[in-house]
Amino acid sequence: MTCTDFLSQLTDYFDGQIDPELLAEVQKHVRECHHCEVVLDTTSKTISIYREHEIYEFPTELRERLHSAIMAKCRGGC
Amino acid sequence: MPAIQSTAAEEVSPDVALVERAKQGDTEAFEQLVRQYERQIFRVAQHITQNREDAEDITQDVFLKAYEKLDQFQGNSKFSTWLVRIAVNESLMRLRKRKTSKTVSMDQDVQTEDGAIPRDFAEWRPNPEQLYGQGELSEILRKTIQGLPPGFRTVFTLRDIENLSTEETAEALGLSVPAVKSRLLRARLQLRERLSRYFRQKNGGAKP
């Protein structure tokens, strides 16, 4: 497996949709290629850091204001 | 990383009952749906438009449109996916109106090779959470995703932040599954490359 092949499998790898044979090849490639090992690790961290951090605040005051506005219009027949 | 595929059947049923009641004019049922999804819709709109006022307007518009068009919701997809699709359309429309980024469509950005090939091979050590405080980290994450082309940002938001499946993302964006996968790869690699400027191990790895 080349580095380009590795990249082409990356999405399926993260999505858990990779064919078992290809998975073994990806794992082998990563053991042998430090650059791809880093790409795998840091891409994985990229996904998890965005997933775990709520980067936009949604304060209660805003939530209540939006909520009231929506429901007032709906009750009024939109 | 384990596969995160939602089990549609479990999540659909409670919403379907609420939607049915709302269709009959039960505003309390609709209110429950609003409570359930307002945060998600606001977050999607904020991620795509990168503008808080727009996100506020869009959140209202999405639920009002959904209320008006409840009859059109067939239950073939999850109610949340249906809402997200409305939010995406409204958000892209806002971006077009603002014209800050020429034309905005899901078809743009595909030609660019920028970031498709990794260039930075430095490890991220220590972990970003150890390097930066919460506020600083959030600022870095906001700035970085803001720099992504809207088409990539949208796919990453739906797939990786909102946890929609690839199929649901494709449905919400009117794209094919391979198109979603290709954009997702580019989005993830571009974000990785840009974040590496902040998170890369000092004195280690290649220069950016």
Side-chain angles (χ1 to χ4, degrees):
Chain A
M1 175 171 277
T2 65
C3 298
T4 309
D5 296 336
F6 160 79
L7 278 182
S8 71
Q9 295 305 319
L10 205 54
T11 303
D12 284 344
Y13 175 88
F14 282 123
D15 296 348
Q17 293 179 341
I18 192 166
D19 174 276
E21 257 176 51
L22 277 173
L23 176 63
E25 280 187 49
V26 166
Q27 288 166 334
K28 180 169 178 284
H29 179 77
V30 167
R31 276 195 301 273
E32 292 164 356
C33 174
H34 182 62
H35 279 184
C36 287
E37 183 189 11
V38 170
V39 169
L40 185 72
D41 178 61
T42 50
T43 308
S44 169
K45 283 177 178 162
T46 298
I47 298 167
S48 59
I49 204 165
Y50 273 103
R51 207 168 265 179
E52 288 157 16
H53 288 81
E54 189 80 58
I55 59 173
Y56 299 114
E57 290 179 2
F58 191 50
T60 313
E61 170 275 321
L62 170 62
R63 182 183 185 141
E64 290 306 325
R65 182 157 56 77
L66 288 180
H67 189 91
S68 306
I70 293 164
M71 291 318 297
K73 286 187 185 157
C74 288
R75 292 202 176 93
C78 278
Chain B
M1 177 170 294
I4 302 168
Q5 295 293 331
S6 40
T7 45
E10 286 169 22
E11 290 170 40
V12 166
S13 35
D15 283 357
V16 164
L18 285 172
V19 171
E20 280 312 312
R21 281 171 48 198
K23 278 183 184 176
Q24 308 302 318
D26 182 344
T27 47
E28 276 179 31
F30 188 71
E31 181 160 22
Q32 213 169 314
L33 290 165
V34 175
R35 283 222 177 274
Q36 217 160 297
Y37 295 116
E38 56 198 356
R39 186 187 191 97
Q40 181 183 20
I41 294 306
F42 178 79
R43 195 169 49 213
V44 167
Q46 171 97 59
H47 266 115
I48 300 176
T49 63
Q50 294 292 316
N51 180 290
R52 184 166 153 153
E53 284 78 38
D54 281 349
E56 290 184 21
D57 290 347
I58 289 164
T59 305
Q60 294 193 43
D61 291 348
V62 166
F63 285 105
L64 296 177
K65 277 208 167 149
Y67 192 70
E68 282 170 11
K69 294 180 175 179
L70 267 185
D71 281 338
Q72 291 174 24
F73 175 68
Q74 301 294 328
N76 299 329
S77 59
K78 284 196 282 185
F79 184 68
S80 57
T81 309
W82 189 68
L83 283 179
V84 166
R85 189 165 52 203
I86 301 174
V88 168
N89 288 339
E90 293 286 316
S91 302
L92 292 177
M93 215 161 16
R94 288 279 166 147
L95 280 188
R96 282 183 208 115
K97 270 189 202 159
R98 252 199 278 144
K99 291 199 187 231
T100 46
S101 47
K102 292 161 269 172
T103 53
V104 180
S105 85
M106 289 311 299
D107 298 325
Q108 107 180 84
D109 316 323
V110 186
Q111 306 305 325
T112 176
E113 287 301 316
D114 177 36
I117 299 155
R119 288 193 171 81
D120 191 316
F121 302 108
E123 296 185 45
W124 291 2
R125 283 193 190 152
N127 272 330
E129 284 89 349
Q130 293 167 276
L131 273 180
Y132 297 97
Q134 179 65 48
E136 218 177 346
L137 192 57
S138 291
E139 183 59 29
I140 290 170
L141 295 177
R142 276 195 295 269
K143 262 199 306 203
T144 304
I145 199 164
Q146 198 166 25
L148 270 195
F152 290 0
R153 199 163 69 214
T154 304
V155 170
F156 183 81
T157 298
L158 300 194
R159 184 67 193 83
D160 282 338
I161 297 176
E162 299 306 330
N163 243 334
L164 268 67
S165 70
T166 305
E167 289 72 18
E168 287 165 344
T169 305
E171 188 198 326
L173 300 179
L175 289 172
S176 69
V177 165
V180 167
K181 285 186 176 184
S182 144
R183 284 166 173 76
L184 184 60
L185 176 66
R186 304 274 189 92
R188 285 167 168 174
L189 289 178
Q190 284 193 25
L191 284 175
R192 185 204 80 90
E193 203 75 20
R194 287 160 197 238
L195 285 179
S196 208
R197 293 173 200 159
Y198 301 97
F199 300 158
R200 69 200 315 277
Q201 187 178 20
K202 305 301 172 209
N203 310 315
K207 294 261 182 236

